[in-house]
Tab-separated table of all heavy atoms in Angstrom:
chain	number	residue	atom	x	y	z
A	5	MET	N	0.819	-1.135	-0.020
A	5	MET	CA	-0.051	0.040	0.002
A	5	MET	C	0.847	1.276	-0.043
A	5	MET	O	1.964	1.313	0.607
A	5	MET	CB	-0.875	0.004	1.225
A	5	MET	CG	-2.078	-0.967	1.128
A	5	MET	SD	-3.408	-0.475	0.267
A	5	MET	CE	-4.065	0.753	1.383
A	6	ALA	N	0.379	2.265	-0.690
A	6	ALA	CA	1.161	3.580	-0.773
A	6	ALA	C	0.116	4.648	-1.095
A	6	ALA	O	-0.997	4.349	-1.658
A	6	ALA	CB	2.220	3.462	-1.767
A	7	TYR	N	0.476	5.809	-0.778
A	7	TYR	CA	-0.277	7.063	-1.096
A	7	TYR	C	0.073	7.350	-2.654
A	7	TYR	O	1.230	7.075	-3.012
A	7	TYR	CB	-0.064	8.178	-0.251
A	7	TYR	CG	-0.963	8.149	0.979
A	7	TYR	CD1	-0.951	7.091	1.944
A	7	TYR	CD2	-1.984	9.223	1.110
A	7	TYR	CE1	-1.816	7.207	3.026
A	7	TYR	CE2	-2.746	9.186	2.243
A	7	TYR	CZ	-2.777	8.196	3.194
A	7	TYR	OH	-3.680	8.214	4.297
A	8	VAL	N	-0.946	7.958	-3.250
A	8	VAL	CA	-0.635	8.387	-4.660
A	8	VAL	C	-1.142	9.829	-4.765
A	8	VAL	O	-2.130	10.261	-4.263
A	8	VAL	CB	-1.420	7.521	-5.651
A	8	VAL	CG1	-1.439	8.068	-7.151
A	8	VAL	CG2	-0.997	6.092	-5.631
A	9	ILE	N	-0.284	10.602	-5.396
A	9	ILE	CA	-0.646	12.070	-5.652
A	9	ILE	C	-1.439	12.201	-6.915
A	9	ILE	O	-0.926	11.852	-8.007
A	9	ILE	CB	0.598	12.968	-5.627
A	9	ILE	CG1	1.250	12.839	-4.300
A	9	ILE	CG2	0.282	14.412	-5.990
A	9	ILE	CD1	2.669	13.654	-4.094
A	10	THR	N	-2.634	12.750	-6.839
A	10	THR	CA	-3.427	12.975	-8.057
A	10	THR	C	-3.037	14.227	-8.789
A	10	THR	O	-2.225	15.012	-8.364
A	10	THR	CB	-4.999	13.105	-7.623
A	10	THR	OG1	-5.053	14.498	-6.973
A	10	THR	CG2	-5.407	11.967	-6.713
A	11	ASP	N	-3.694	14.324	-9.950
A	11	ASP	CA	-3.458	15.529	-10.789
A	11	ASP	C	-3.819	16.911	-10.199
A	11	ASP	O	-3.635	17.844	-10.797
A	11	ASP	CB	-4.128	15.331	-12.166
A	11	ASP	CG	-3.370	14.237	-13.051
A	11	ASP	OD1	-2.230	13.886	-12.677
A	11	ASP	OD2	-3.997	13.716	-14.032
A	12	ASP	N	-4.491	16.771	-9.050
A	12	ASP	CA	-4.867	17.998	-8.277
A	12	ASP	C	-3.645	18.766	-7.786
A	12	ASP	O	-3.688	19.927	-7.472
A	12	ASP	CB	-5.834	17.807	-7.168
A	12	ASP	CG	-7.201	17.327	-7.721
A	12	ASP	OD1	-7.540	17.591	-8.830
A	12	ASP	OD2	-7.881	16.725	-6.873
A	13	CYS	N	-2.538	18.088	-7.678
A	13	CYS	CA	-1.301	18.632	-7.176
A	13	CYS	C	-0.858	19.878	-7.886
A	13	CYS	O	-0.889	19.941	-9.142
A	13	CYS	CB	-0.231	17.611	-7.315
A	13	CYS	SG	1.466	18.167	-6.789
A	14	ILE	N	-0.597	20.994	-7.089
A	14	ILE	CA	-0.082	22.202	-7.680
A	14	ILE	C	1.398	22.353	-7.539
A	14	ILE	O	1.833	23.538	-7.586
A	14	ILE	CB	-0.930	23.435	-7.044
A	14	ILE	CG1	-0.739	23.363	-5.510
A	14	ILE	CG2	-2.388	23.356	-7.405
A	14	ILE	CD1	-1.239	24.660	-4.831
A	15	ALA	N	2.063	21.313	-7.095
A	15	ALA	CA	3.538	21.310	-7.047
A	15	ALA	C	4.107	22.307	-6.134
A	15	ALA	O	5.118	22.986	-6.274
A	15	ALA	CB	4.104	21.463	-8.486
A	16	CYS	N	3.476	22.481	-4.933
A	16	CYS	CA	3.923	23.417	-3.953
A	16	CYS	C	5.098	22.910	-3.166
A	16	CYS	O	5.782	23.577	-2.642
A	16	CYS	CB	2.688	23.753	-3.095
A	16	CYS	SG	2.351	22.493	-1.868
A	17	GLY	N	5.167	21.578	-3.060
A	17	GLY	CA	6.308	20.977	-2.424
A	17	GLY	C	6.200	20.716	-0.954
A	17	GLY	O	7.035	20.271	-0.246
A	18	ALA	N	5.097	21.211	-0.345
A	18	ALA	CA	4.805	21.121	1.180
A	18	ALA	C	4.982	19.619	1.579
A	18	ALA	O	5.458	19.351	2.680
A	18	ALA	CB	3.553	21.707	1.520
A	19	CYS	N	4.416	18.778	0.898
A	19	CYS	CA	4.426	17.300	1.408
A	19	CYS	C	5.820	16.675	1.437
A	19	CYS	O	6.061	15.901	2.304
A	19	CYS	CB	3.479	16.509	0.403
A	19	CYS	SG	3.953	16.566	-1.358
A	20	ALA	N	6.509	16.990	0.402
A	20	ALA	CA	7.939	16.443	0.367
A	20	ALA	C	8.700	16.539	1.647
A	20	ALA	O	9.311	15.581	2.106
A	20	ALA	CB	8.709	16.954	-0.806
A	21	GLY	N	8.621	17.699	2.236
A	21	GLY	CA	9.391	17.969	3.477
A	21	GLY	C	8.820	17.243	4.628
A	21	GLY	O	9.422	17.067	5.694
A	22	ASP	N	7.502	16.880	4.607
A	22	ASP	CA	6.908	16.285	5.733
A	22	ASP	C	6.863	14.747	5.754
A	22	ASP	O	6.451	14.176	6.681
A	22	ASP	CB	5.520	16.765	5.798
A	22	ASP	CG	5.308	18.257	6.230
A	22	ASP	OD1	6.372	18.771	6.821
A	22	ASP	OD2	4.268	18.879	5.948
A	23	CYS	N	7.353	14.187	4.583
A	23	CYS	CA	7.364	12.736	4.477
A	23	CYS	C	8.562	12.143	5.287
A	23	CYS	O	9.734	12.558	5.074
A	23	CYS	CB	7.584	12.311	3.064
A	23	CYS	SG	7.628	10.501	2.742
A	24	PRO	N	8.296	11.179	6.274
A	24	PRO	CA	9.367	10.772	7.132
A	24	PRO	C	10.402	9.886	6.453
A	24	PRO	O	11.503	9.677	7.017
A	24	PRO	CB	8.608	10.010	8.259
A	24	PRO	CG	7.316	9.586	7.641
A	24	PRO	CD	6.913	10.680	6.560
A	25	VAL	N	10.016	9.387	5.204
A	25	VAL	CA	10.923	8.412	4.600
A	25	VAL	C	11.439	9.059	3.306
A	25	VAL	O	11.965	8.311	2.427
A	25	VAL	CB	10.299	7.051	4.346
A	25	VAL	CG1	10.037	6.395	5.704
A	25	VAL	CG2	8.997	7.083	3.621
A	26	GLU	N	11.143	10.292	3.078
A	26	GLU	CA	11.569	10.927	1.817
A	26	GLU	C	11.168	10.208	0.578
A	26	GLU	O	11.947	10.091	-0.397
A	26	GLU	CB	13.152	11.149	1.794
A	26	GLU	CG	13.545	12.036	2.915
A	26	GLU	CD	14.994	12.355	2.949
A	26	GLU	OE1	15.754	12.109	2.005
A	26	GLU	OE2	15.598	12.901	4.020
A	27	ALA	N	9.921	9.782	0.557
A	27	ALA	CA	9.454	9.051	-0.690
A	27	ALA	C	8.790	9.984	-1.668
A	27	ALA	O	8.444	9.544	-2.766
A	27	ALA	CB	8.255	8.200	-0.094
A	28	ILE	N	8.730	11.346	-1.431
A	28	ILE	CA	8.113	12.257	-2.410
A	28	ILE	C	9.252	13.101	-3.088
A	28	ILE	O	10.066	13.659	-2.453
A	28	ILE	CB	7.053	13.116	-1.700
A	28	ILE	CG1	6.038	12.246	-0.886
A	28	ILE	CG2	6.426	14.098	-2.676
A	28	ILE	CD1	5.150	13.119	0.055
A	29	SER	N	9.046	13.123	-4.408
A	29	SER	CA	9.955	13.951	-5.147
A	29	SER	C	9.189	14.684	-6.352
A	29	SER	O	8.020	14.292	-6.596
A	29	SER	CB	11.071	13.062	-5.765
A	29	SER	OG	10.482	12.054	-6.741
A	30	GLU	N	9.821	15.682	-6.852
A	30	GLU	CA	9.286	16.459	-7.867
A	30	GLU	C	9.265	15.766	-9.243
A	30	GLU	O	10.248	15.288	-9.656
A	30	GLU	CB	9.924	17.908	-8.042
A	30	GLU	CG	9.098	18.783	-9.053
A	30	GLU	CD	9.431	20.207	-8.851
A	30	GLU	OE1	10.489	20.492	-8.123
A	30	GLU	OE2	8.838	21.128	-9.306
A	31	GLY	N	8.051	15.625	-9.767
A	31	GLY	CA	7.902	15.005	-11.168
A	31	GLY	C	7.648	15.919	-12.163
A	31	GLY	O	8.053	17.177	-12.008
A	32	ASP	N	6.956	15.472	-13.203
A	32	ASP	CA	6.675	16.468	-14.385
A	32	ASP	C	5.325	17.089	-14.090
A	32	ASP	O	4.363	16.634	-14.350
A	32	ASP	CB	6.653	15.478	-15.617
A	32	ASP	CG	6.404	16.352	-16.866
A	32	ASP	OD1	6.679	17.603	-16.863
A	32	ASP	OD2	6.046	15.810	-17.957
A	33	GLY	N	5.554	18.381	-13.577
A	33	GLY	CA	4.430	19.172	-13.297
A	33	GLY	C	3.556	18.941	-12.048
A	33	GLY	O	2.675	19.635	-11.662
A	34	LYS	N	4.037	17.840	-11.303
A	34	LYS	CA	3.473	17.501	-10.071
A	34	LYS	C	4.410	16.733	-9.238
A	34	LYS	O	5.474	16.253	-9.733
A	34	LYS	CB	2.098	16.835	-10.164
A	34	LYS	CG	2.224	15.416	-10.762
A	34	LYS	CD	0.981	14.718	-10.615
A	34	LYS	CE	1.082	13.165	-10.751
A	34	LYS	NZ	0.023	12.355	-10.400
A	35	PHE	N	4.163	16.553	-7.959
A	35	PHE	CA	4.991	15.705	-7.106
A	35	PHE	C	4.551	14.269	-7.231
A	35	PHE	O	3.363	14.016	-7.386
A	35	PHE	CB	4.964	16.266	-5.720
A	35	PHE	CG	6.037	17.361	-5.536
A	35	PHE	CD1	5.916	18.605	-6.280
A	35	PHE	CD2	7.199	17.318	-4.675
A	35	PHE	CE1	6.926	19.619	-6.119
A	35	PHE	CE2	8.063	18.268	-4.562
A	35	PHE	CZ	7.946	19.441	-5.192
A	36	VAL	N	5.538	13.403	-6.894
A	36	VAL	CA	5.141	11.906	-7.146
A	36	VAL	C	5.746	11.195	-5.925
A	36	VAL	O	6.696	11.629	-5.230
A	36	VAL	CB	5.789	11.351	-8.403
A	36	VAL	CG1	5.066	11.831	-9.625
A	36	VAL	CG2	7.272	11.605	-8.447
A	37	ILE	N	5.018	10.060	-5.540
A	37	ILE	CA	5.390	9.184	-4.325
A	37	ILE	C	5.963	7.982	-4.924
A	37	ILE	O	5.455	7.243	-5.794
A	37	ILE	CB	4.172	9.016	-3.612
A	37	ILE	CG1	3.617	10.275	-2.949
A	37	ILE	CG2	4.546	7.875	-2.420
A	37	ILE	CD1	2.313	10.137	-2.154
A	38	ASP	N	7.096	7.547	-4.323
A	38	ASP	CA	7.729	6.269	-4.713
A	38	ASP	C	7.037	5.220	-3.782
A	38	ASP	O	7.165	5.179	-2.634
A	38	ASP	CB	9.237	6.286	-4.332
A	38	ASP	CG	9.840	4.939	-4.506
A	38	ASP	OD1	9.235	4.166	-5.231
A	38	ASP	OD2	11.049	4.711	-4.099
A	39	ALA	N	6.205	4.472	-4.578
A	39	ALA	CA	5.365	3.406	-3.802
A	39	ALA	C	6.192	2.372	-2.973
A	39	ALA	O	5.728	1.870	-2.016
A	39	ALA	CB	4.517	2.748	-4.788
A	40	ASP	N	7.400	2.158	-3.438
A	40	ASP	CA	8.224	1.095	-2.645
A	40	ASP	C	8.766	1.607	-1.453
A	40	ASP	O	9.126	1.036	-0.534
A	40	ASP	CB	9.299	0.697	-3.596
A	40	ASP	CG	8.863	-0.198	-4.779
A	40	ASP	OD1	7.792	-0.762	-4.645
A	40	ASP	OD2	9.542	-0.264	-5.874
A	41	THR	N	8.841	3.079	-1.307
A	41	THR	CA	9.425	3.691	-0.155
A	41	THR	C	8.280	4.162	0.759
A	41	THR	O	8.574	4.057	2.075
A	41	THR	CB	10.253	4.920	-0.568
A	41	THR	OG1	11.193	4.490	-1.561
A	41	THR	CG2	10.936	5.548	0.679
A	42	CYS	N	7.150	4.471	0.265
A	42	CYS	CA	6.107	4.919	1.138
A	42	CYS	C	5.706	3.964	2.206
A	42	CYS	O	5.436	2.819	1.881
A	42	CYS	CB	4.816	5.330	0.198
A	42	CYS	SG	3.462	5.856	1.069
A	43	ILE	N	5.435	4.512	3.533
A	43	ILE	CA	5.055	3.525	4.496
A	43	ILE	C	3.502	3.780	4.970
A	43	ILE	O	3.067	3.450	5.926
A	43	ILE	CB	5.891	3.737	5.794
A	43	ILE	CG1	6.003	5.144	6.199
A	43	ILE	CG2	7.296	3.220	5.515
A	43	ILE	CD1	6.659	5.293	7.588
A	44	ASP	N	2.843	4.639	4.079
A	44	ASP	CA	1.390	4.675	4.190
A	44	ASP	C	1.038	5.483	5.455
A	44	ASP	O	-0.001	5.160	6.114
A	44	ASP	CB	0.714	3.321	4.188
A	44	ASP	CG	-0.655	3.317	3.544
A	44	ASP	OD1	-0.850	4.182	2.619
A	44	ASP	OD2	-1.445	2.437	3.963
A	45	CYS	N	1.868	6.473	5.900
A	45	CYS	CA	1.663	7.163	7.108
A	45	CYS	C	0.574	8.168	7.058
A	45	CYS	O	-0.042	8.536	8.052
A	45	CYS	CB	2.884	7.743	7.752
A	45	CYS	SG	3.390	9.202	6.790
A	46	GLY	N	0.322	8.750	5.854
A	46	GLY	CA	-0.697	9.730	5.694
A	46	GLY	C	-0.230	11.171	5.940
A	46	GLY	O	-1.148	12.107	5.845
A	47	ALA	N	0.945	11.412	6.362
A	47	ALA	CA	1.478	12.873	6.677
A	47	ALA	C	1.245	13.765	5.488
A	47	ALA	O	0.822	14.907	5.538
A	47	ALA	CB	2.893	12.799	7.101
A	48	CYS	N	1.602	13.266	4.207
A	48	CYS	CA	1.477	14.119	3.077
A	48	CYS	C	0.085	14.601	2.853
A	48	CYS	O	-0.159	15.713	2.416
A	48	CYS	CB	1.976	13.293	1.838
A	48	CYS	SG	1.196	11.711	1.643
A	49	ALA	N	-0.937	13.793	3.118
A	49	ALA	CA	-2.337	14.192	2.868
A	49	ALA	C	-2.646	15.256	3.846
A	49	ALA	O	-3.386	16.233	3.456
A	49	ALA	CB	-3.276	12.932	3.173
A	50	GLY	N	-2.143	15.240	5.169
A	50	GLY	CA	-2.300	16.223	6.104
A	50	GLY	C	-1.682	17.649	5.751
A	50	GLY	O	-2.249	18.735	6.237
A	51	SER	N	-0.638	17.602	5.038
A	51	SER	CA	0.159	18.816	4.717
A	51	SER	C	-0.200	19.456	3.441
A	51	SER	O	0.152	20.613	3.144
A	51	SER	CB	1.643	18.538	4.790
A	51	SER	OG	1.910	17.588	3.751
A	52	CYS	N	-1.106	18.733	2.597
A	52	CYS	CA	-1.398	19.203	1.257
A	52	CYS	C	-2.551	20.175	1.306
A	52	CYS	O	-3.596	19.945	1.873
A	52	CYS	CB	-1.750	18.083	0.326
A	52	CYS	SG	-2.180	18.576	-1.304
A	53	PRO	N	-2.354	21.424	0.625
A	53	PRO	CA	-3.493	22.401	0.704
A	53	PRO	C	-4.606	22.099	-0.334
A	53	PRO	O	-5.632	22.677	-0.241
A	53	PRO	CB	-2.716	23.696	0.033
A	53	PRO	CG	-1.603	23.226	-0.610
A	53	PRO	CD	-1.128	21.908	-0.031
A	54	VAL	N	-4.305	21.099	-1.123
A	54	VAL	CA	-5.492	20.731	-2.114
A	54	VAL	C	-5.911	19.342	-2.113
A	54	VAL	O	-6.594	18.802	-2.929
A	54	VAL	CB	-4.968	21.111	-3.700
A	54	VAL	CG1	-4.764	22.644	-3.743
A	54	VAL	CG2	-3.738	20.311	-4.121
A	55	ASP	N	-5.437	18.654	-1.031
A	55	ASP	CA	-5.920	17.176	-0.812
A	55	ASP	C	-5.542	16.361	-1.972
A	55	ASP	O	-6.387	15.439	-2.230
A	55	ASP	CB	-7.345	17.256	-0.532
A	55	ASP	CG	-7.838	16.041	0.352
A	55	ASP	OD1	-7.022	15.520	1.073
A	55	ASP	OD2	-9.043	15.684	0.248
A	56	ALA	N	-4.299	16.436	-2.441
A	56	ALA	CA	-3.992	15.664	-3.674
A	56	ALA	C	-3.469	14.214	-3.318
A	56	ALA	O	-3.631	13.358	-4.060
A	56	ALA	CB	-3.062	16.408	-4.515
A	57	PRO	N	-2.866	13.986	-2.188
A	57	PRO	CA	-2.449	12.685	-1.903
A	57	PRO	C	-3.496	11.801	-1.369
A	57	PRO	O	-4.213	12.261	-0.506
A	57	PRO	CB	-1.316	12.923	-0.779
A	57	PRO	CG	-0.987	14.349	-0.771
A	57	PRO	CD	-2.178	14.930	-1.331
A	58	LYS	N	-3.728	10.661	-2.079
A	58	LYS	CA	-4.862	9.867	-1.747
A	58	LYS	C	-4.295	8.341	-1.374
A	58	LYS	O	-3.525	7.949	-2.101
A	58	LYS	CB	-5.820	9.791	-2.816
A	58	LYS	CG	-6.527	11.093	-3.339
A	58	LYS	CD	-7.466	11.519	-2.304
A	58	LYS	CE	-8.125	12.783	-2.942
A	58	LYS	NZ	-8.876	13.520	-1.845
A	59	PRO	N	-4.906	7.762	-0.352
A	59	PRO	CA	-4.625	6.375	-0.120
A	59	PRO	C	-5.016	5.538	-1.333
A	59	PRO	O	-6.126	5.629	-1.818
A	59	PRO	CB	-5.185	5.924	1.174
A	59	PRO	CG	-6.431	6.989	1.380
A	59	PRO	CD	-5.852	8.170	0.644
A	60	GLN	N	-4.191	4.644	-1.707
A	60	GLN	CA	-4.490	3.751	-2.871
A	60	GLN	C	-5.341	2.570	-2.319
A	60	GLN	O	-5.101	2.027	-1.209
A	60	GLN	CB	-3.180	3.192	-3.523
A	60	GLN	CG	-3.281	2.924	-4.928
A	60	GLN	CD	-1.931	2.673	-5.525
A	60	GLN	OE1	-1.008	2.225	-4.792
A	60	GLN	NE2	-1.691	2.865	-6.788
A	61	ASP	N	-6.506	2.163	-3.018
A	61	ASP	CA	-7.237	1.140	-2.578
A	61	ASP	C	-6.502	-0.229	-2.673
A	61	ASP	O	-5.717	-0.412	-3.650
A	61	ASP	CB	-8.461	1.086	-3.484
A	61	ASP	CG	-9.434	2.278	-3.222
A	61	ASP	OD1	-9.380	2.825	-2.123
A	61	ASP	OD2	-10.047	2.718	-4.169
B	102	LIG	FE1	5.476	9.718	2.751
B	102	LIG	FE2	3.682	9.038	4.639
B	102	LIG	FE3	2.933	10.336	2.272
B	102	LIG	FE4	3.886	7.866	2.187
B	102	LIG	S1	1.873	8.346	3.199
B	102	LIG	S2	4.440	9.496	0.826
B	102	LIG	S3	5.324	7.814	3.807
B	102	LIG	S4	4.156	11.080	3.948
B	103	LIG	FE1	1.221	18.612	-4.575
B	103	LIG	FE2	-0.100	18.686	-2.329
B	103	LIG	FE3	2.396	17.846	-2.225
B	103	LIG	FE4	1.877	20.445	-2.639
B	103	LIG	S1	1.461	19.367	-0.818
B	103	LIG	S2	3.444	19.157	-3.837
B	103	LIG	S3	0.099	20.340	-3.794
B	103	LIG	S4	0.689	16.876	-3.291
């Protein structure tokens, strides 16, 4: 399980600094989560102003 950042992302970068395992990096026009590194903690969702990180089903 991992969180995924949707296209709602405005690339503000707030989530990257709050991820305890540094799983978030800047991608092409938005930030992306490395699924193999993410520990599903949900911190990124709490720091995002547009609610872009979502838990994957
Ligand atoms: Fe990082 Fe936690 Fe978000 Fe996964 S859910 S990307 S571990 S902040
Ligand atoms: Fe994108 Fe939200 Fe992360 Fe900002 S905090 S880079 S809007 S996912």
Side-chain angles (χ1 to χ4, degrees):
M5 288 278 289
Y7 272 62
V8 175
I9 294 174
T10 69
D11 289 343
D12 291 340
C13 175
I14 56 171
C16 73
C19 57
D22 290 341
C23 178
V25 293
E26 297 184 14
I28 306 174
S29 59
E30 188 162 13
D32 187 14
K34 65 169 197 166
F35 276 61
V36 293
I37 294 170
D38 176 11
D40 291 334
T41 306
C42 176
I43 57 171
D44 215 31
C45 73
C48 51
S51 60
C52 180
V54 296
D55 204 25
K58 302 286 188 190
Q60 212 169 25
D61 293 328

